[in-house]
């Protein structure tokens, strides 16, 4: 005899999803698993990561709690123009260097288009850092709880759920079923606004923190009893994320389950979603969330069965994520400004006119190291060498400009991104592109969000014949310039 209980009860759901995958789906998943254009996992030097992040500059912090976070995440850029996210742990996080390296290498073997993949790590002295792909379009928490322009559409919320389930299925298939503190801050959006799961939570927990940093109301019940994370604990956290997606708020599971038992799903659903989905679709997501939130771990589904359940729910599958999210396509190049166009054409004369015209106004706020030497003869000579360099630069005597600017830089009393930019262009004019690239990188180390430094890197890379890296630097320069214009 069939069950006569409510559609939302859980008594007869345990056999709904057997975890089998439709024929042809396995092959498709296998094809998508590997990510071809990513380099193998490597160990970076601390100097490389300092350079990439402009000396771990405050302007490059992207973690939610800024400098106050125990482990801070920075955005950065390697010399080959690959953008990276660098997680820097506090000093006590991983006292055992070997354990840290083993964990990082194991996670670094994973490569999947549903992950923000781990590219490398750094373990020098007390330093412990992870290096991952950089995702420029914020976290799920930002788009779901703190949106500014538009709430996330229903179709996109379903896509997030599916992509996350696929990420967990892949990790489980590779023997990494444990994920620490799965929450809306761990899901990030790539250039095309596709959701990805951060690889950082795949690391075994270090001694400085707990596996769950969130409020106890969101913690799996068995973790409160044993302090151990299991694959079933991850499924519980997946259920809390389904509630987040449904409600647009971070609702404690106990409160949500009370609403579900009272058949008060209306109270649970984000009012911004009105008219975007049917009752059946909403009920199905509630069913999945409730299964994930079962008190007994063994009664929760596995990632594979979640993927099977979520595929039929998908809407507007042909619409790109960036369109659903209302985000400009990160893969498309922004319209170039006159300076960007000059860089693309390698019109060094036009670039010279522009850099000469702006003078030193972009040095405002750049780091300087002034001391009592400012009043000494040595300081006067340093300033004189800069003035002579400026005169030579204005009159296009680039060899003399290089010599004078070098004298200024070598004394090291003052730090000026503009001087590095001027010497960089002088090197380009003198057919010394590698030296030009080095100076353009230094200019960005001093002034991390200065678009001219990126444009000069692009011009240097074009001159070196490194076309794809040059295009990446040009795109970054254009993005930085566009942000600067918007904020002006």
């Amino acid at each position: 005899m069939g069950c006569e209980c409510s559609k939302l009860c859980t008594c007869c759901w345990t056999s709904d999803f057997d975890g089998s995958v439709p024929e042809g789906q396995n092959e498709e998943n296998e094809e998508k698993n590997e990510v071809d254009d990513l380099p193998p996992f490597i160990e970076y030097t601390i100097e490389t990561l300092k350079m990439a992040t402009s000396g771990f500059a405050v302007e490059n912090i992207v973690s939610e709690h800024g400098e106050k976070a125990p482990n801070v995440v920075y955005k950065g850029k390697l010399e080959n123009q690959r953008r990276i996210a660098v997680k820097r742990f506090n000093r006590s996080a991983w006292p055992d260097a070997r354990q840290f390296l083993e964990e990082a290498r194991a996670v670094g073997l994973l490569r999947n288009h549903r992950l923000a993949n781990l590219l490398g790590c750094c373990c020098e002295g007390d330093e412990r850092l992870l290096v991952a792909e950089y995702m420029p379009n914020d976290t799920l928490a930002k788009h779901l709880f703190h949106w500014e322009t538009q709430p996330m559409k229903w179709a996109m919320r379903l896509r997030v759920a599916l992509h996350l389930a696929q990420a967990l299925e892949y990790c489980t298939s590779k023997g990494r079923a444990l994920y620490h503190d799965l929450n809306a801050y761990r899901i990030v959006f790539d250039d095309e606004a596709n959701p990805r799961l951060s690889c950082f939570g795949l690391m075994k927990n270090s001694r400085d923190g707990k596996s769950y940093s969130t409020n106890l109301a969101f913690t799996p019940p068995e973790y409160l009893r044993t302090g151990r994370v299991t694959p079933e604990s991850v499924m519980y956290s997946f259920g809390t994320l389904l509630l987040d997606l449904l409600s647009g708020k971070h609702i404690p599971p106990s409160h949500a389950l009370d609403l579900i038992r009272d058949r008060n799903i209306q109270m649970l659903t984000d009012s911004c979603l009105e008219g975007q989905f049917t009752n059946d679709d909403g009920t199905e997501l509630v069913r999945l969330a409730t299964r994930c939130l079962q008190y007994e771990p063994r009664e929760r589904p596995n990632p594979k069965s979640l993927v099977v359940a979520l595929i039929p729910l998908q809407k507007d599958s042909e619409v790109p994520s960036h369109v659903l999210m209302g985000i400009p396509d990160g893969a498309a190049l922004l319209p170039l400004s006159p300076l960007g166009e000059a860089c693309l054409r390698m019109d060094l004369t036009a670039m010279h006119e522009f850099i000469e015209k702006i003078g030193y106004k972009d040095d405002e706020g750049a780091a300087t190291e002034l001391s009592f030497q400012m009043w000494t003869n040595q300081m006067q000579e340093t300033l004189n060498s800069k003035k002579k360099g400026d005169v030579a630069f204005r009159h296009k005597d680039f060899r003399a400009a290089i010599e004078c600017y070098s004298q200024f830089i070598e004394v090291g009393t003052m730090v000026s991104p503009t001087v590095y930019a001027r010497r960089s262009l002088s090197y380009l004019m003198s057919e010394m592109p590698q030296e030009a690239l080095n100076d353009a990188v230094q200019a960005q180390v001093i002034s991390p969000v200065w678009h001219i430094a990126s444009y000069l890197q692009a011009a240097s890379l074009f001159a070196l014949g490194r076309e794809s890296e040059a295009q990446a630097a040009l795109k970054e320069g254009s993005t930085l310039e566009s942000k600067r214009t918007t904020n002006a």
Side-chain angles (χ1 to χ4, degrees), residues 186-199:
R186 299 287 201 172
I187 298 165
V188 287
F189 292 82
D190 64 20
D191 279 294
E192 284 80 44
N194 287 313
R196 301 213 204 177
L197 178 62
S198 167
C199 61

Side-chain angles (χ1 to χ4, degrees), residues 234-454:
V234 182
M235 290 298 94
Y236 186 93
S237 297
F238 188 93
T240 67
L241 273 165
L242 289 181
L243 293 179
D244 291 348
L245 291 166
L246 189 65
S247 66
K249 296 183 283 291
H250 201 35
I251 297 177
S254 59
H255 178 54
L257 290 172
D258 285 343
L259 290 174
I260 292 166
R261 287 189 198 101
D262 295 340
R263 303 188 187 186
N264 201 349
I265 299 176
Q266 221 62 36
M267 288 284 291
L268 190 60
T269 308
D270 191 340
S271 59
C272 296
L273 296 172
E274 196 171 337
Q276 291 190 35
F277 63 94
T278 65
N279 283 339
D280 284 350
D281 285 347
T283 301
E284 187 61 26
L285 208 64
V286 169
R287 277 164 53 92
L288 283 174
T290 309
R291 287 194 69 215
C292 291
L293 295 169
Q294 291 297 297
Y295 184 83
E296 289 297 333
R298 67 177 179 274
E299 293 179 7
R300 299 171 199 155
N302 60 34
K304 183 176 281 191
S305 66
L306 287 173
V307 171
V308 173
L310 286 163
I311 285 174
L313 298 180
Q314 298 303 302
K315 311 288 182 192
D316 300 329
S317 300
E318 73 290 346
V319 180
S321 294
H322 71 88
V323 173
L324 286 177
M325 296 279 280
I327 293 173
D329 182 5
L333 195 62
L334 288 168
L336 290 174
S337 66
L339 179 59
E341 287 284 0
C343 177
L344 180 62
R345 296 193 312 270
M346 287 295 286
D347 185 344
L348 300 183
T349 302
M351 291 178 72
H352 173 264
E353 286 175 10
F354 186 88
I355 291 173
E356 170 63 28
K357 183 180 176 183
I358 64 166
Y360 283 82
K361 73 181 182 71
D362 285 346
D363 271 17
E364 291 172 16
T368 57
E369 296 175 16
L370 295 176
S371 66
F372 68 93
Q373 291 179 15
M374 185 171 182
W375 309 107
T376 66
N377 290 335
Q378 183 189 16
M379 187 61 194
Q380 194 55 52
E381 285 174 20
T382 305
L383 290 173
N384 284 340
S385 64
K386 174 179 158 299
K387 285 177 184 173
K388 287 178 184 175
D390 289 342
V391 171
F393 186 80
R394 188 177 309 121
H395 292 107
K396 301 185 181 179
D397 184 354
F398 296 112
R399 290 283 178 178
I402 290 169
E403 187 178 337
C404 295
Y405 287 142
S406 297
Q407 288 171 9
F408 172 82
I409 288 167
E410 282 159 18
V411 171
T413 310
M414 294 180 67
V415 181
S416 165
T418 300
V419 166
Y420 276 107
R422 288 178 167 225
R423 191 173 72 168
S424 174
L425 187 61
S426 298
Y427 277 132
L428 274 175
M429 291 288 197
S430 305
E431 298 183 356
M432 300 168 73
Q434 186 58 54
E435 290 81 356
L437 178 60
N438 296 342
D439 272 4
V441 169
Q442 280 298 329
Q444 194 154 49
V445 167
I446 301 163
S447 191
V449 294
W450 195 31
H451 60 291
I452 289 172
S454 293

